Amino acid sequence: MTDKHRNRLAGETSPYLLQHADNPVDWFPWGEEALQLARTTGKPILLSVGYSACHWCHVMAHESFMDAEIASLMNETFVNIKVDREERPDIDRIYQTAHQLLTQQAGGWPLTAFINPEDQRPYFSGTYFPNVQRHGLPAFPELLKLVAAHFHDNQDQVRSQGQQLQEILRKIAPVGAEDDQPLSDGPLVSAREKIAAGFDREYGGTGGAPKFPHPATLERLLRHWRETANSADPDVDALFLVSLTLSRMAEGGIYDHLGGGFCRYSVDRYWQIPHFEKMLYDNGPLLALYSQAHIAAGEPLFGRVANETANWILADMRAPGGGFYSSRDADSEGEEGLFYVWTPEEVRNLVAAEDYPLLARHYGLDRATNFEGKWHLTIREPLADIAKNQGDQEDALRDRVDAARQILFQHRASRIAPGRDEKQLTAWNALAIRGLAIAGRSLSRPDLTVAANDAADFIYDKLLSGGRLLASHKDGESKFPAYLDDHAFLLDALLELLQSRWNIRHLTFATVLADLLLKHFYDNAAGGFYFTADDHEKLMHRPKPLGDEAMPSGNGIAVFALQRLGFLLGESRYLDAAEATLRFAWNTVQEHPHGHVSLLTALDEYLHHPEIIIIRGDEDEAASWRDSAAKLYSPRRLVFAIGADAKDLPGALAERKALDDQTVAYRCVGNHCSLPLTSWEALAAELGDHAPGQ
C-alpha cells in the first residue's frame, strides 16, 4: 500500500473508488501498473466492479474489504483491481458477459471476477459473496483460497477455458442480413405482440418482481399507438398499456412523492417498495416519456409527474457548471431507505391536525407498515376517490395535500441525505438533456430548455478535447475516452435540443459526433458500431452491443440519430451507415424483437422516413409556429425554427431559405420537400392532412 491508511485509489476522482481508498485491501485502479504487476508476479487478478449507489457493493465492502484478515488474504494472493462501472462500462460490459457465459446466470453488482493475467480472460466469476457462509453462498475467504489454488494448480485448464470463452464471444457476434435482403415491419409487429404477452395488465410493466420501468419499451408502445391512430383499427390497447404503467408507477413508491423523480426499480410487482437509489439515466428517459404521454393522452397526472421530475433534476442533480450529477445512493446512515420513510407520529406532528386524516388515507399511513416497520409513502387511496366519498372537490383536497407535502419535504431535507455521486457522465447527461428538451416543449417550460442548453454547452466546453469526446468529468478533470453510448445519446439529445432552441454551435457539435461515430466506431466491413473506439485500450473483447439494457442500445440510438441528421442535412454517409447497421442487426432483431426496441424505432424511421419541418423567418414568429406544432404528439415529426439571419447553414439546410420579410415553412419527408408555406394556417393545414407520426 502507498501509506498506512490509504491505498492507490486515493488519487482517483470516482466517488466509488474513493469509498474504497481507506480499505486495507491494496486496491489498484484498472491500468497498466496493475496488469503488469499481475503478469510479473504471476498472481491472478481479482476484479471487483461496482458503483457508488450500489447497496450490495456497500455490504460487501463493509463485510470483507474493511476486514483486515480478509484484506491480508486478498493482498497475498491476488492483484486487486477496483472498477467504477459508470466510468468504465467497457470493462464492466465484457466481464458481465463473461460472467453470464461462465455461470449461466445473470450478472449484477458487485461483480467479482478472477482473471488470468496472461490474457485478461476470467476463469471464475460471481457477484456478491458474504464474509461467512450463508444464503447458499460460500464464505468469501474460503472462496479466495479455492480460486487461487485452482489457478496455480490447473494452469493448462485455465488457459483452455479462457480460449473457449474467447471463441464463444466470437461466435455469438451477430451475422447480418444479405445486402439484397429487404427490411420489413415484421419485427415491429412481432415486438408489439411479445411485449403485450409479457405485460402485467393489472399493475403495468412487464414481468413480476423485481420490476423495472423500461422507458424505451413503453415509448415503443406509445409510438405504435400513434402510428395506428388514424387507421381503421387504431391500437388503443397499446396506449392503455402505457397509461396503466405510468399511472401505477406515479402512484407507487418507486416515485418520490415529496421530492420528485424515480428510484431504480421496485422490489415488488406493484411498484410499491423501491430499491431506493435514484439514477440520472432512469430519470432522463422517464421525464421524456411522461412529457410525451402527457401530450399524447392529455392526462394531468403525467404532466404533474413530468414537472416534478424535472424539478428534482434541476434542484438536486444539477452541477454549478451546468452538467448533471450521476446518482443518489439508496442508503443513508448505513440503512437503505432511511431518508425516505416515516412514522404516523412524525407526520401528525408536522402537518395541520385537520390534514393528517387526509394524508393518512391518501398515503396509507392508516394501514400496516410497508418497509421494515415504517411507512414509505405510496398512494393507497386516490384523491378522486376520497373526494367522491366525502363529497369534496378534488382540487381543494389536492391543494391541502400539496401544502402538507411541502412541509414534509422541508422536514425531510433536514435529515442526513443519501450520498450523491457527483461524477458528470457524458452519456447520462445526454439522456437528461434529451428529457429536458422534450419536457421543455411539452410542458411549455423555457427554464428546462435553458437547463438542457447549458448542459450541452458544459459538455462541449469541458468534455470535448482535441477533437475527441471524453466520458466523465469530476472535480474539474475530464477523462476516459468516450464510448459509443456517449456519442450516440448526445447526438440524439442535440437533435431534440435544436428543436427547442436553434443553435448553430449545437448543430456543428452534432456533425462532429456523427463523424466521430463513423470514423472511430463504425465497422465498415460488416456494419454496426463497436462499443469502444478503434484507438481505445485493447481489452480481451471488443463488442458491438445491440440489445437494450438498463439504458437504450447505443447501436439503436446511433442509427436513429444518424438517420435524422442524414435527412436534415441531406448527408448520405450517415444514412448509409444507419442502413448497414440495421442489416447487421436484422437477424438478431427478428429473433428477439422486444429486446431491441431502440433498433426497432430506428427501423420504423427507416421504413417510414421522419417528417422534418424547417421554419425560417422572424425568430419570435418562427418560434411561435414551432411551439404550436409541438402541441401534438407526432413522434416522427421534427420541427426546427431557424431565424432569417442564420447564415452558412450546412448541407440541405442551405436550400431552406428565408423569403424576404416573411416567415416560411418547408415540410420534408425523407428527401422530398414541399413548396414554401407562407402562413401558419397553410402549415397547420399541411400538418393536418397527414396522420400524426407520418
Coordinates of all heavy atoms in Angstrom, one line a residue, residues 154-228:
N154 N -3.9 -25.6 -11.9 CA -4.6 -26.0 -13.1 C -4.3 -25.0 -14.3 O -5.3 -24.6 -14.9 CB -6.1 -26.2 -12.9 CG -6.4 -27.3 -11.9 OD1 -6.4 -28.5 -12.1 ND2 -6.6 -26.8 -10.6
Q155 N -3.1 -24.7 -14.5 CA -2.8 -23.6 -15.5 C -3.3 -24.0 -16.9 O -3.8 -23.1 -17.6 CB -1.3 -23.4 -15.5 CG -0.7 -22.6 -14.3 CD -1.0 -21.1 -14.4 OE1 -0.5 -20.5 -15.3 NE2 -1.7 -20.6 -13.5
D156 N -3.1 -25.2 -17.3 CA -3.5 -25.6 -18.6 C -5.0 -25.5 -18.8 O -5.5 -25.0 -19.8 CB -3.0 -27.0 -19.0 CG -1.5 -27.1 -19.1 OD1 -0.9 -26.0 -19.3 OD2 -1.0 -28.2 -19.1
Q157 N -5.7 -25.9 -17.7 CA -7.2 -25.9 -17.8 C -7.7 -24.4 -17.8 O -8.6 -24.1 -18.5 CB -7.8 -26.6 -16.6 CG -9.3 -26.6 -16.6 CD -9.8 -27.3 -15.3 OE1 -9.1 -28.1 -14.7 NE2 -11.1 -27.1 -15.0
V158 N -7.0 -23.5 -17.0 CA -7.4 -22.1 -17.0 C -7.2 -21.5 -18.4 O -8.1 -20.8 -18.9 CB -6.6 -21.4 -15.9 CG1 -6.7 -19.8 -16.1 CG2 -7.0 -21.8 -14.5
R159 N -6.0 -21.8 -19.0 CA -5.8 -21.3 -20.4 C -6.8 -21.8 -21.4 O -7.3 -21.1 -22.2 CB -4.4 -21.6 -20.8 CG -3.3 -20.9 -20.0 CD -1.9 -21.1 -20.7 NE -0.9 -20.6 -19.8 CZ -0.1 -21.3 -19.0 NH1 -0.3 -22.7 -19.0 NH2 0.8 -20.8 -18.3
S160 N -7.1 -23.1 -21.3 CA -8.0 -23.7 -22.2 C -9.4 -23.1 -22.1 O -10.1 -22.8 -23.1 CB -8.0 -25.2 -22.0 OG -9.0 -25.8 -22.8
Q161 N -9.8 -23.0 -20.8 CA -11.1 -22.4 -20.6 C -11.2 -20.9 -21.1 O -12.2 -20.5 -21.7 CB -11.5 -22.4 -19.1 CG -12.8 -21.7 -18.7 CD -13.0 -21.7 -17.2 OE1 -13.3 -22.8 -16.7 NE2 -13.0 -20.5 -16.6
G162 N -10.1 -20.2 -21.0 CA -10.1 -18.8 -21.5 C -10.2 -18.8 -23.0 O -10.9 -17.9 -23.5
Q163 N -9.5 -19.7 -23.6 CA -9.6 -19.8 -25.1 C -11.0 -20.1 -25.6 O -11.5 -19.6 -26.5 CB -8.6 -20.8 -25.6 CG -7.1 -20.4 -25.4 CD -6.2 -21.5 -25.7 OE1 -6.6 -22.7 -26.0 NE2 -4.9 -21.2 -25.7
Q164 N -11.6 -21.1 -24.9 CA -13.0 -21.4 -25.2 C -14.0 -20.2 -25.0 O -14.9 -20.0 -25.8 CB -13.5 -22.6 -24.3 CG -12.7 -23.9 -24.6 CD -13.1 -25.0 -23.6 OE1 -14.2 -24.9 -23.0 NE2 -12.3 -26.0 -23.5
L165 N -13.8 -19.5 -23.9 CA -14.6 -18.3 -23.7 C -14.4 -17.3 -24.8 O -15.4 -16.7 -25.3 CB -14.2 -17.7 -22.3 CG -14.9 -16.4 -21.9 CD1 -16.4 -16.7 -21.7 CD2 -14.3 -15.9 -20.6
Q166 N -13.2 -17.1 -25.2 CA -12.9 -16.1 -26.3 C -13.6 -16.6 -27.5 O -14.2 -15.7 -28.3 CB -11.4 -16.0 -26.5 CG -11.0 -14.8 -27.3 CD -11.0 -13.5 -26.6 OE1 -10.3 -13.4 -25.6 NE2 -11.7 -12.5 -27.0
E167 N -13.6 -17.8 -27.8 CA -14.2 -18.4 -29.0 C -15.7 -18.2 -29.0 O -16.3 -17.9 -30.0 CB -13.8 -19.8 -29.2 CG -14.3 -20.5 -30.5 CD -13.8 -19.9 -31.7 OE1 -12.8 -19.1 -31.7 OE2 -14.4 -20.2 -32.8
I168 N -16.3 -18.4 -27.8 CA -17.7 -18.3 -27.7 C -18.1 -16.8 -27.9 O -19.1 -16.5 -28.6 CB -18.2 -18.7 -26.3 CG1 -18.0 -20.2 -26.1 CG2 -19.7 -18.3 -26.0 CD1 -18.3 -20.8 -24.7
L169 N -17.3 -15.9 -27.3 CA -17.6 -14.5 -27.6 C -17.6 -14.1 -29.0 O -18.3 -13.3 -29.5 CB -16.6 -13.6 -26.8 CG -16.8 -13.6 -25.3 CD1 -15.6 -12.9 -24.6 CD2 -18.1 -12.9 -24.9
R170 N -16.6 -14.8 -29.7 CA -16.5 -14.5 -31.2 C -17.7 -15.1 -31.9 O -18.3 -14.4 -32.8 CB -15.2 -15.1 -31.7 CG -15.0 -14.8 -33.2 CD -13.8 -15.6 -33.7 NE -14.0 -17.0 -33.8 CZ -14.7 -17.6 -34.8 NH1 -15.2 -16.9 -35.8 NH2 -14.9 -18.9 -34.7
K171 N -18.1 -16.3 -31.5 CA -19.2 -16.9 -32.2 C -20.6 -16.3 -32.0 O -21.5 -16.4 -32.9 CB -19.3 -18.4 -31.9 CG -18.1 -19.2 -32.4 CD -18.3 -20.7 -32.1 CE -17.2 -21.5 -32.7 NZ -17.3 -23.0 -32.4
I172 N -20.8 -15.7 -30.8 CA -22.1 -15.1 -30.5 C -22.3 -13.8 -31.2 O -23.4 -13.2 -31.1 CB -22.4 -15.0 -29.0 CG1 -21.4 -14.1 -28.3 CG2 -22.4 -16.4 -28.4 CD1 -21.7 -13.9 -26.8
A173 N -21.3 -13.2 -31.8 CA -21.4 -12.0 -32.5 C -22.5 -12.2 -33.6 O -22.5 -13.2 -34.3 CB -20.1 -11.5 -33.1
P174 N -23.4 -11.2 -33.9 CA -24.4 -11.4 -34.9 C -23.9 -11.5 -36.3 O -22.8 -11.0 -36.6 CB -25.2 -10.0 -34.7 CG -24.9 -9.5 -33.4 CD -23.5 -9.9 -33.1
V175 N -24.6 -12.2 -37.1 CA -24.3 -12.4 -38.5 C -25.4 -11.6 -39.2 O -26.6 -11.9 -39.1 CB -24.3 -13.8 -39.0 CG1 -24.1 -13.9 -40.5 CG2 -23.3 -14.6 -38.2
G176 N -25.0 -10.6 -40.0 CA -26.0 -9.7 -40.6 C -26.8 -10.3 -41.8 O -26.4 -11.4 -42.3
A177 N -27.8 -9.5 -42.2 CA -28.6 -9.9 -43.4 C -27.8 -9.7 -44.7 O -26.8 -8.9 -44.7 CB -29.9 -9.2 -43.4
E178 N -28.2 -10.4 -45.7 CA -27.6 -10.1 -47.0 C -27.9 -8.7 -47.5 O -29.0 -8.1 -47.1 CB -28.1 -11.2 -48.0 CG -27.7 -12.6 -47.7 CD -26.2 -12.8 -47.7 OE1 -25.5 -12.2 -48.4 OE2 -25.8 -13.7 -46.9
D179 N -27.1 -8.2 -48.4 CA -27.3 -6.8 -48.9 C -28.6 -6.7 -49.6 O -29.2 -5.6 -49.6 CB -26.1 -6.4 -49.8 CG -24.8 -6.2 -49.1 OD1 -24.9 -6.1 -47.8 OD2 -23.8 -6.2 -49.7
D180 N -29.1 -7.8 -50.3 CA -30.4 -7.7 -51.0 C -31.6 -8.1 -50.2 O -32.7 -8.2 -50.7 CB -30.3 -8.5 -52.3 CG -30.0 -10.0 -52.0 OD1 -29.8 -10.3 -50.8 OD2 -30.0 -10.8 -52.9
Q181 N -31.4 -8.3 -48.9 CA -32.5 -8.7 -48.0 C -33.3 -7.5 -47.7 O -32.9 -6.5 -47.2 CB -31.9 -9.3 -46.7 CG -32.9 -9.4 -45.6 CD -33.9 -10.5 -45.8 OE1 -33.5 -11.6 -46.1 NE2 -35.2 -10.3 -45.7
P182 N -34.6 -7.5 -48.1 CA -35.5 -6.4 -47.8 C -35.8 -6.3 -46.3 O -36.1 -7.3 -45.7 CB -36.7 -6.7 -48.7 CG -36.8 -8.1 -48.8 CD -35.3 -8.6 -48.9
L183 N -35.8 -5.1 -45.8 CA -36.1 -4.9 -44.4 C -37.6 -4.5 -44.3 O -38.0 -3.7 -45.1 CB -35.2 -3.8 -43.8 CG -33.7 -4.0 -43.9 CD1 -33.0 -2.9 -43.2 CD2 -33.3 -5.3 -43.4
S184 N -38.3 -5.2 -43.4 CA -39.8 -5.0 -43.4 C -40.2 -4.6 -42.0 O -39.4 -4.5 -41.0 CB -40.4 -6.3 -43.8 OG -40.2 -7.3 -42.8
D185 N -41.5 -4.4 -41.8 CA -42.0 -4.1 -40.5 C -42.4 -5.3 -39.6 O -43.0 -5.2 -38.6 CB -43.2 -3.2 -40.6 CG -44.4 -3.9 -41.3 OD1 -44.3 -5.0 -41.7 OD2 -45.5 -3.3 -41.3
G186 N -41.9 -6.5 -40.1 CA -42.2 -7.8 -39.4 C -41.8 -7.7 -37.9 O -42.6 -8.0 -37.0
P187 N -40.6 -7.3 -37.6 CA -40.2 -7.2 -36.2 C -41.0 -6.2 -35.4 O -41.2 -6.4 -34.2 CB -38.7 -6.8 -36.3 CG -38.3 -7.2 -37.6 CD -39.4 -7.1 -38.5
L188 N -41.5 -5.2 -36.0 CA -42.3 -4.2 -35.3 C -43.6 -4.8 -34.8 O -44.0 -4.7 -33.7 CB -42.6 -3.0 -36.2 CG -41.4 -2.1 -36.6 CD1 -41.8 -1.2 -37.7 CD2 -40.9 -1.3 -35.4
V189 N -44.2 -5.6 -35.7 CA -45.5 -6.3 -35.4 C -45.2 -7.4 -34.3 O -45.9 -7.5 -33.3 CB -46.1 -6.9 -36.6 CG1 -47.3 -7.7 -36.3 CG2 -46.4 -5.8 -37.6
S190 N -44.1 -8.1 -34.5 CA -43.8 -9.2 -33.6 C -43.5 -8.7 -32.2 O -43.9 -9.2 -31.2 CB -42.6 -10.0 -34.1 OG -42.3 -11.0 -33.2
A191 N -42.8 -7.6 -32.1 CA -42.4 -7.0 -30.8 C -43.7 -6.5 -30.1 O -43.8 -6.7 -28.9 CB -41.5 -5.8 -31.0
R192 N -44.6 -5.9 -30.8 CA -45.8 -5.5 -30.2 C -46.6 -6.7 -29.6 O -47.1 -6.6 -28.4 CB -46.7 -4.8 -31.3 CG -48.2 -4.6 -30.9 CD -48.2 -3.5 -29.8 NE -49.6 -3.3 -29.4 CZ -50.2 -3.9 -28.4 NH1 -49.6 -4.9 -27.7 NH2 -51.5 -3.6 -28.0
E193 N -46.6 -7.8 -30.2 CA -47.2 -9.0 -29.7 C -46.5 -9.5 -28.5 O -47.1 -9.9 -27.5 CB -47.3 -10.1 -30.8 CG -48.2 -9.6 -31.9 CD -48.1 -10.6 -33.1 OE1 -47.2 -11.5 -33.1 OE2 -48.9 -10.5 -34.1
K194 N -45.2 -9.6 -28.6 CA -44.4 -10.2 -27.5 C -44.4 -9.3 -26.2 O -44.4 -9.8 -25.1 CB -43.0 -10.4 -28.0 CG -42.8 -11.6 -29.0 CD -41.4 -11.8 -29.4 CE -41.3 -12.9 -30.5 NZ -41.7 -14.2 -29.9
I195 N -44.4 -8.0 -26.4 CA -44.4 -7.1 -25.3 C -45.8 -7.3 -24.6 O -45.8 -7.4 -23.3 CB -44.2 -5.6 -25.7 CG1 -42.8 -5.4 -26.2 CG2 -44.5 -4.7 -24.6 CD1 -42.6 -4.1 -26.9
A196 N -46.8 -7.3 -25.3 CA -48.2 -7.5 -24.7 C -48.3 -8.8 -24.0 O -48.9 -8.9 -22.9 CB -49.2 -7.3 -25.8
A197 N -47.7 -9.8 -24.6 CA -47.8 -11.2 -24.0 C -47.2 -11.2 -22.6 O -47.6 -12.0 -21.7 CB -47.1 -12.2 -24.9
G198 N -46.1 -10.4 -22.3 CA -45.5 -10.4 -21.0 C -45.9 -9.3 -20.1 O -45.3 -9.1 -19.1
F199 N -47.0 -8.6 -20.5 CA -47.4 -7.4 -19.7 C -48.3 -7.8 -18.5 O -49.1 -8.7 -18.5 CB -48.2 -6.5 -20.6 CG -47.8 -5.0 -20.5 CD1 -46.7 -4.5 -21.2 CD2 -48.5 -4.2 -19.6 CE1 -46.3 -3.2 -21.0 CE2 -48.1 -2.9 -19.4 CZ -47.0 -2.4 -20.2
D200 N -48.1 -7.0 -17.5 CA -48.9 -7.1 -16.3 C -50.1 -6.2 -16.4 O -50.0 -5.0 -16.3 CB -48.1 -6.7 -15.0 CG -48.9 -6.9 -13.7 OD1 -50.1 -6.9 -13.8 OD2 -48.2 -6.9 -12.7
R201 N -51.3 -6.7 -16.8 CA -52.4 -5.9 -17.1 C -53.2 -5.4 -15.9 O -54.2 -4.7 -16.0 CB -53.4 -6.7 -18.0 CG -52.8 -6.8 -19.4 CD -53.7 -7.5 -20.4 NE -53.2 -7.4 -21.7 CZ -53.5 -6.5 -22.6 NH1 -54.3 -5.5 -22.2 NH2 -52.9 -6.5 -23.8
E202 N -52.7 -5.7 -14.7 CA -53.3 -5.2 -13.5 C -52.5 -4.0 -12.9 O -53.0 -3.0 -12.5 CB -53.4 -6.3 -12.5 CG -54.2 -5.8 -11.2 CD -54.5 -7.0 -10.3 OE1 -54.1 -8.1 -10.6 OE2 -55.1 -6.7 -9.2
Y203 N -51.1 -4.2 -12.9 CA -50.3 -3.2 -12.3 C -49.3 -2.5 -13.3 O -48.6 -1.6 -13.0 CB -49.5 -3.8 -11.2 CG -50.4 -4.2 -10.1 CD1 -50.8 -5.5 -9.9 CD2 -50.9 -3.3 -9.1 CE1 -51.6 -5.9 -8.9 CE2 -51.7 -3.6 -8.1 CZ -52.1 -5.0 -8.0 OH -52.9 -5.3 -7.0
G204 N -49.4 -3.0 -14.6 CA -48.5 -2.3 -15.6 C -47.1 -2.9 -15.6 O -46.7 -3.6 -14.6
G205 N -46.3 -2.6 -16.6 CA -45.0 -3.1 -16.7 C -44.9 -4.5 -17.2 O -45.9 -5.2 -17.4
T206 N -43.7 -5.0 -17.4 CA -43.5 -6.3 -17.8 C -42.9 -7.2 -16.7 O -42.1 -6.7 -15.9 CB -42.6 -6.4 -19.1 OG1 -41.4 -5.7 -18.7 CG2 -43.2 -5.7 -20.2
G207 N -43.4 -8.4 -16.6 CA -42.8 -9.4 -15.7 C -43.3 -9.1 -14.3 O -44.3 -8.3 -14.0
G208 N -42.7 -9.8 -13.3 CA -43.1 -9.7 -11.9 C -42.1 -9.0 -11.1 O -41.6 -7.9 -11.6
A209 N -41.7 -9.5 -10.0 CA -40.8 -8.8 -9.1 C -39.4 -9.4 -9.3 O -39.2 -10.6 -9.5 CB -41.2 -9.0 -7.7
P210 N -38.3 -8.5 -9.3 CA -38.4 -7.1 -9.3 C -38.9 -6.5 -10.6 O -38.7 -7.2 -11.7 CB -36.9 -6.7 -9.0 CG -36.1 -7.8 -9.6 CD -36.9 -9.0 -9.4
K211 N -39.4 -5.3 -10.6 CA -40.0 -4.7 -11.8 C -39.3 -3.4 -12.1 O -39.1 -2.5 -11.3 CB -41.5 -4.5 -11.6 CG -42.2 -4.0 -12.8 CD -43.7 -4.0 -12.6 CE -44.3 -5.3 -12.7 NZ -45.8 -5.3 -12.6
F212 N -38.8 -3.3 -13.4 CA -38.1 -2.1 -13.8 C -39.0 -1.3 -14.8 O -39.9 -1.9 -15.5 CB -36.9 -2.5 -14.6 CG -35.8 -3.2 -13.7 CD1 -35.9 -4.5 -13.3 CD2 -34.7 -2.4 -13.3 CE1 -34.9 -5.1 -12.5 CE2 -33.8 -3.0 -12.4 CZ -33.9 -4.3 -12.1
P213 N -38.8 0.0 -14.9 CA -39.7 0.8 -15.7 C -39.6 0.6 -17.2 O -40.6 0.6 -17.9 CB -39.2 2.3 -15.4 CG -38.5 2.2 -14.1 CD -37.9 0.8 -14.0
H214 N -38.4 0.3 -17.8 CA -38.2 0.1 -19.2 C -38.8 1.2 -20.1 O -39.7 0.9 -20.9 CB -38.7 -1.3 -19.6 CG -38.1 -2.5 -19.0 ND1 -36.7 -2.7 -19.0 CD2 -38.5 -3.5 -18.2 CE1 -36.4 -3.8 -18.4 NE2 -37.5 -4.3 -17.8
P215 N -38.4 2.4 -19.9 CA -39.0 3.5 -20.7 C -38.9 3.3 -22.2 O -39.8 3.8 -22.9 CB -38.2 4.8 -20.2 CG -37.0 4.3 -19.5 CD -37.3 2.9 -19.0
A216 N -37.8 2.7 -22.7 CA -37.7 2.5 -24.2 C -38.8 1.6 -24.7 O -39.4 1.9 -25.8 CB -36.3 1.9 -24.5
T217 N -39.2 0.6 -23.9 CA -40.3 -0.3 -24.3 C -41.6 0.4 -24.3 O -42.4 0.3 -25.2 CB -40.3 -1.5 -23.4 OG1 -39.1 -2.2 -23.5 CG2 -41.5 -2.4 -23.7
L218 N -41.8 1.2 -23.3 CA -43.1 2.0 -23.2 C -43.2 3.0 -24.3 O -44.2 3.3 -24.9 CB -43.2 2.6 -21.8 CG -43.3 1.7 -20.7 CD1 -43.2 2.4 -19.3 CD2 -44.6 0.9 -20.7
E219 N -42.0 3.7 -24.6 CA -42.1 4.6 -25.7 C -42.3 3.9 -27.1 O -43.1 4.5 -27.9 CB -40.7 5.4 -25.8 CG -40.7 6.5 -26.8 CD -39.4 7.3 -26.9 OE1 -38.6 7.1 -26.0 OE2 -39.3 8.1 -27.8
R220 N -41.8 2.7 -27.2 CA -42.1 2.0 -28.5 C -43.7 1.7 -28.6 O -44.2 1.9 -29.7 CB -41.4 0.6 -28.5 CG -41.8 -0.3 -29.6 CD -40.9 -0.1 -30.8 NE -41.0 1.1 -31.5 CZ -41.8 1.4 -32.5 NH1 -42.7 0.5 -32.8 NH2 -41.8 2.5 -33.1
L221 N -44.3 1.3 -27.5 CA -45.7 1.1 -27.5 C -46.5 2.4 -27.8 O -47.5 2.4 -28.5 CB -46.2 0.6 -26.1 CG -45.9 -0.9 -25.8 CD1 -46.3 -1.2 -24.4 CD2 -46.6 -1.8 -26.8
L222 N -46.0 3.5 -27.2 CA -46.7 4.8 -27.4 C -46.6 5.2 -28.9 O -47.5 5.7 -29.5 CB -46.1 5.9 -26.5 CG -46.8 7.2 -26.4 CD1 -48.2 7.0 -25.8 CD2 -46.0 8.2 -25.5
R223 N -45.4 5.0 -29.5 CA -45.2 5.3 -30.9 C -46.1 4.4 -31.7 O -46.7 4.9 -32.7 CB -43.7 5.2 -31.3 CG -42.8 6.3 -30.7 CD -41.4 6.0 -31.1 NE -41.2 6.1 -32.6 CZ -40.5 7.1 -33.2 NH1 -40.0 8.1 -32.5 NH2 -40.4 7.1 -34.5
H224 N -46.2 3.2 -31.4 CA -47.0 2.2 -32.1 C -48.5 2.7 -32.1 O -49.2 2.6 -33.2 CB -46.9 0.8 -31.6 CG -47.6 -0.2 -32.3 ND1 -47.1 -0.8 -33.5 CD2 -48.8 -0.8 -32.2 CE1 -47.9 -1.7 -34.0 NE2 -49.0 -1.7 -33.2
W225 N -49.0 3.0 -30.9 CA -50.3 3.5 -30.9 C -50.5 4.8 -31.8 O -51.5 4.8 -32.6 CB -50.7 4.0 -29.4 CG -51.9 4.9 -29.4 CD1 -53.2 4.5 -29.6 CD2 -51.9 6.3 -29.2 NE1 -54.0 5.6 -29.6 CE2 -53.2 6.7 -29.3 CE3 -50.9 7.2 -29.0 CZ2 -53.6 8.0 -29.2 CZ3 -51.2 8.5 -28.9 CH2 -52.6 8.9 -29.0
R226 N -49.6 5.7 -31.8 CA -49.8 6.9 -32.5 C -49.7 6.6 -34.0 O -50.5 7.3 -34.8 CB -48.7 7.9 -32.2 CG -49.1 9.4 -32.6 CD -50.3 9.8 -31.8 NE -50.8 11.1 -32.1 CZ -51.9 11.5 -32.7 NH1 -52.8 10.5 -33.0 NH2 -52.3 12.7 -32.8
E227 N -48.9 5.7 -34.4 CA -48.8 5.4 -35.8 C -50.0 4.7 -36.4 O -50.3 4.6 -37.6 CB -47.5 4.5 -36.1 CG -46.3 5.3 -35.9 CD -45.1 4.5 -35.5 OE1 -45.2 3.3 -35.6 OE2 -44.0 5.1 -35.1
T228 N -50.9 4.1 -35.5 CA -52.1 3.4 -35.9 C -53.3 4.3 -35.6 O -54.5 3.9 -36.0 CB -52.3 2.1 -35.2 OG1 -52.5 2.3 -33.8 CG2 -51.1 1.2 -35.4

